[in-house]
Amino acid sequence: LEQPDWHCKIDEGSAGLVASCWSPDGRHILNTTEFHLRITVWSLCTKSVSYIKYPKACQQGIAFTKDGRYMAVAERRDCKDFISIFVCSDWQLLRHFDTETQDLFGIEWAPNGCVLAVWDTCLEYKILLYSLDGRLLSTYQAYEWSLGIKSIAWSPSSQFLAIGSYDEKVRILNHVTWKKITEFEHPATIANTKTIVYKEVEKSPSVETERLSFPPTRALASSLFSTQSKYDVSQVPVSLQYIKPVADRANPKMGIGMLAFSPDNCFLATKNDNIPNAVWIWDIQKLKLFVVLEQLCAVQSFQWDPRQPRLAVCTGNSKVYLWSPAGCVAVQVPLEGDFQIVSLSWHTSGDSMALLSKDNFCMCYLEREEV
């Protein structure tokens, strides 16, 4: 940003490239070569290069601590899984240890950087918790002989670990004993009268006949064919749309596919892939279901505002849905053309977010109320 003309091109040559990411300090780029032969660490300041061998091809094989001091890398060598922990300042190896996994699938640091969660392939429900020096602190296994873990999320305080699995349940572990303190089920019928169910409804905007012109202006044409969304509070019991997965296909759409804690540790948002149009928001203080958002389209992504308990949801259309304890609202993104939002990401300030479609992205700025 200080030198707008500065640019850099990195060429891995014949090794190829399958993944790339920034280091937390923004001064290094980590490239994973084809066939996961190695990870190349490129320094943008000194132009030096470091190599990390045997990275494992898995869903989440690299994890940085929140403070950016350490990096954990999942490795596979001699038909066994290993974890290597590196110091990010000089990329020196700090610890190297094997894991008690059949086929390691992902790793995730606790926000305090003291515990590393390691989970096994979906064919086996198994999560292992390691300390920074490589000691196995605990192992948790909810059941056997069925599809296991699909997603995990640490609470910002590192006190809770939420584990979503293919049996449509979320289990919450505590950080003292690493035992389950509760589990959240995701039934197709919401019967509890204390749960608020917001249902998205659409209506076509009314256009005054005096404003009609031929040919219609571009803005008028887009408004004629667009629909406005709002939320109604449904009376319980409410039956949600439940999709039975196709049993003979790989990667069945079932189980808890998304999990996220609010920044104040008060709420947990979840999505059950069997009920793709719903977002479940749980009260962590009471350990009960608080709110369900029932959308018209399948939920593509959601993310909490990093500054306050405000959840942004997108469903593959041109709207962003925002929920907070005060209520929820649907916001139409003012863009020309068909901008279908499939993913979103908040800025750390909470004042803006990046909205991504298949081919484009845009920045969305939220107005702040003047105090």
Side-chain angles (χ1 to χ4, degrees), residues 273-294:
D273 290 343
N274 294 77
I275 308 174
N277 292 19
V279 177
W280 311 64
I281 300 171
W282 307 82
D283 187 326
I284 295 301
Q285 293 174 327
K286 297 179 181 178
L287 297 177
K288 290 182 179 178
L289 182 61
F290 184 48
V291 166
V292 175
L293 306 180
E294 186 183 1

Side-chain angles (χ1 to χ4, degrees), residues 30-305:
L30 286 77
N31 288 341
T32 305
T33 61
E34 282 191 303
F35 308 110
H36 284 74
L37 297 176
R38 70 186 184 201
I39 294 173
T40 313
V41 183
W42 298 84
S43 171
L44 300 181
C45 298
T46 64
K47 298 182 182 179
S48 62
V49 181
S50 304
Y51 297 103
I52 300 170
K53 288 185 176 182
Y54 312 114
K56 180 162 187 182
C58 58
Q59 182 194 41
Q60 197 169 323
I62 300 176
F64 295 96
T65 54
K66 191 176 180 181
D67 60 11
R69 293 178 64 188
Y70 303 108
M71 175 184 73
V73 177
E75 299 177 359
R76 183 79 173 179
R77 60 177 82 178
D78 301 325
C79 299
K80 285 198 69 177
D81 293 324
F82 294 86
I83 297 288
S84 288
I85 297 177
F86 295 88
V87 181
C88 292
S89 58
D90 55 8
W91 305 106
Q92 293 297 309
L93 181 65
L94 180 68
R95 285 286 184 274
H96 177 76
F97 54 92
D98 62 339
T99 62
E100 297 178 15
T101 50
Q102 295 292 327
D103 185 11
L104 187 152
F105 196 67
I107 56 177
E108 183 76 44
W109 286 103
N112 62 12
C114 295
V115 181
L116 180 70
V118 178
W119 63 99
D120 218 327
T121 169
C122 65
L123 299 177
E124 183 175 1
Y125 193 118
K126 192 177 192 181
I127 190 161
L128 305 115
L129 299 150
Y130 290 93
S131 64
L132 187 60
D133 59 1
R135 288 179 295 116
L136 178 61
L137 301 174
S138 185
T139 302
Y140 180 74
Q141 192 166 13
Y143 53 81
E144 293 182 278
W145 317 118
S146 187
L147 289 177
I149 296 170
K150 190 168 188 178
S151 56
I152 78 154
W154 286 97
S155 68
S157 64
S158 304
Q159 291 176 297
F160 302 112
L161 176 60
I163 307 169
S165 49
Y166 282 89
D167 66 349
E168 304 175 48
K169 294 179 183 178
V170 175
R171 293 167 176 85
I172 308 290
L173 307 187
N174 73 83
H175 75 299
V176 179
T177 63
W178 301 113
K179 297 287 191 289
K180 182 184 78 173
I181 56 173
T182 191
E183 66 181 32
F184 297 144
E185 297 185 6
H186 295 68
T189 302
I190 309 298
N192 192 334
T193 55
K194 293 183 179 179
T195 301
I196 305 169
V197 180
Y198 290 103
K199 183 180 177 67
E200 181 192 359
V201 292
E202 275 188 344
K203 63 174 183 176
S204 297
S206 58
V207 180
E208 298 172 8
T209 53
E210 296 84 35
R211 289 182 57 210
L212 290 174
S213 59
F214 189 83
T217 62
R218 196 167 185 176
L220 181 61
S222 64
S223 67
L224 280 170
F225 294 102
S226 66
T227 55
Q228 296 174 346
S229 290
K230 68 184 186 79
Y231 282 103
D232 286 344
V233 177
S234 301
Q235 295 293 320
V236 292
V238 175
S239 293
L240 304 172
Q241 182 185 3
Y242 188 91
I243 296 176
K244 195 172 182 180
V246 181
D248 58 351
R249 289 188 185 175
N251 303 315
K253 291 190 175 181
M254 58 185 288
I256 309 303
M258 281 190 266
L259 288 168
F261 279 94
S262 63
D264 59 359
N265 294 286
C266 290
F267 301 103
L268 172 69
T270 63
K271 180 199 170 188
N272 178 10
D273 290 343
N274 294 77
I275 308 174
N277 292 19
V279 177
W280 311 64
I281 300 171
W282 307 82
D283 187 326
I284 295 301
Q285 293 174 327
K286 297 179 181 178
L287 297 177
K288 290 182 179 178
L289 182 61
F290 184 48
V291 166
V292 175
L293 306 180
E294 186 183 1
Q295 306 295 138
L296 290 171
C297 303
V299 174
Q300 301 291 321
S301 178
F302 57 68
Q303 191 179 36
W304 289 98
D305 181 335

